[in-house]
Amino acid sequence: MNIKWNAAEFELEEKADVIFSNAVFHWIDADRQEKLAANLAAQLKPGGELVCEFGGKGCAETVHASLEKNFAKRGLSYTREFYFPTIGEYAPILERHGFRVEYAVLFDRPTVQSTEDGLRDWILMFDKKPFEGLSEQTAKEIIDETVEELRNVLFADGRWIVDYVRIRIKPADPCRIKRKKEKRSHVGAYERPAESGRHIRRVAGHDPLVLSSGCHGGCICD
């Protein structure tokens, strides 16, 4: 089943135990991130969990910086449509809407492109907005220049590799933390936050809601 929703506005008939999201949040404008977090919290059962991974600060910056320079050479403005925050920027958004962030990491994840002309194909697929309104010739010239400029930077062993950066977060609902501590208080134990891979396996018995952009690579359960 392939269900498509607006992530900041959807409403479930039955609340979810877990919401898992891969490569979605960076497509949502910065001014809608608060609404997104509030809606995700509203769609979880008490004690439910959100596990997510998305583009972080510096994601594909080598490509964006080169494109921005080549736009500027022609007196054009390059529109950066992605939202790539730091952990320090994003964790407070989740916390304001009732999530307790147990685990967060920002990491480089260089991503090999699957096609022979990988960088050009990546730009044409994922970075369309800056080229809206440009002539085909101007767009081609900008992309050609960018590809050649970055050939010695992002091309190796016959493959294009885009410099992805990812944020991986496992926030937990405060109600779950409270119950967990109460349940274990008789032994004075504290449960160490699970690593992301183990966490996914532990909740596999539930029916999680999965939000995905369909972007290749970067699955949190790798």
Side-chain angles (χ1 to χ4, degrees):
M1 182 181 295
N2 183 19
I3 301 175
K4 295 182 180 179
W5 287 316
N6 181 321
E9 298 178 358
F10 73 91
E11 185 174 347
L12 299 176
E13 292 183 7
E14 182 178 349
K15 305 304 181 187
D17 294 299
V18 180
I19 295 178
F20 168 66
S21 175
N22 178 54
V24 173
F25 293 2
H26 58 252
W27 291 96
I28 298 172
D29 292 343
D31 60 3
R32 289 175 56 80
Q33 292 292 328
E34 294 279 353
K35 186 173 182 179
L36 169 66
N39 191 51
L40 294 174
Q43 305 312 314
L44 283 167
K45 293 178 182 178
E49 294 180 302
L50 169 68
V51 182
C52 56
E53 181 173 312
F54 56 98
K57 185 73 171 181
C59 187
E61 179 58 26
T62 303
V63 182
H64 292 302
S66 180
L67 286 169
E68 189 170 47
K69 182 187 72 174
N70 288 324
F71 269 69
K73 282 168 57 176
R74 295 166 171 81
L76 301 171
S77 177
Y78 178 72
T79 303
R80 294 187 178 230
E81 61 177 322
F82 299 103
Y83 173 67
F84 293 142
T86 65
I87 292 171
E89 291 168 339
Y90 204 74
I93 294 176
L94 295 174
E95 290 166 350
R96 281 194 289 273
H97 296 281
F99 292 106
R100 173 172 171 171
V101 178
E102 292 186 334
Y103 172 89
V105 61
L106 178 73
F107 61 98
D108 293 331
R109 202 206 70 200
T111 301
V112 175
Q113 302 305 297
S114 58
T115 63
E116 184 175 340
D117 202 5
L119 182 57
R120 183 185 307 276
D121 293 340
W122 186 93
I123 294 170
L124 292 172
M125 178 173 289
F126 295 117
D127 203 20
K128 297 177 181 179
K129 189 172 182 178
F131 294 91
E132 292 177 357
L134 299 186
S135 69
E136 289 187 13
Q137 181 60 33
T138 299
K140 182 178 183 303
E141 289 175 1
I142 291 173
I143 295 173
D144 286 347
E145 285 184 25
T146 299
V147 168
E148 289 311 308
E149 285 177 5
L150 299 182
R151 188 171 297 278
N152 292 331
V153 180
L154 299 179
F155 189 76
D157 300 324
R159 304 179 301 175
W160 284 98
I161 304 172
V162 177
D163 54 329
Y164 280 19
V165 177
R166 283 294 187 254
I167 286 182
R168 183 175 294 173
I169 296 179
K170 194 200 83 172
D173 183 282
C175 295
R176 185 180 69 83
I177 299 297
K178 182 178 179 182
R179 287 199 300 272
K180 200 185 303 181
K181 289 183 177 179
E182 288 173 349
K183 181 178 179 181
R184 293 169 175 260
S185 61
H186 65 287
V187 294
Y190 178 79
E191 183 171 344
R192 177 179 178 273
E195 293 179 353
S196 56
R198 291 199 204 101
H199 175 73
I200 290 296
R201 288 192 289 273
R202 180 168 61 79
V203 301
H206 296 293
D207 292 322
L209 170 66
V210 177
L211 304 178
S212 176
S213 70
C215 179
H216 57 81
C219 180
I220 196 170
C221 53
D222 283 348

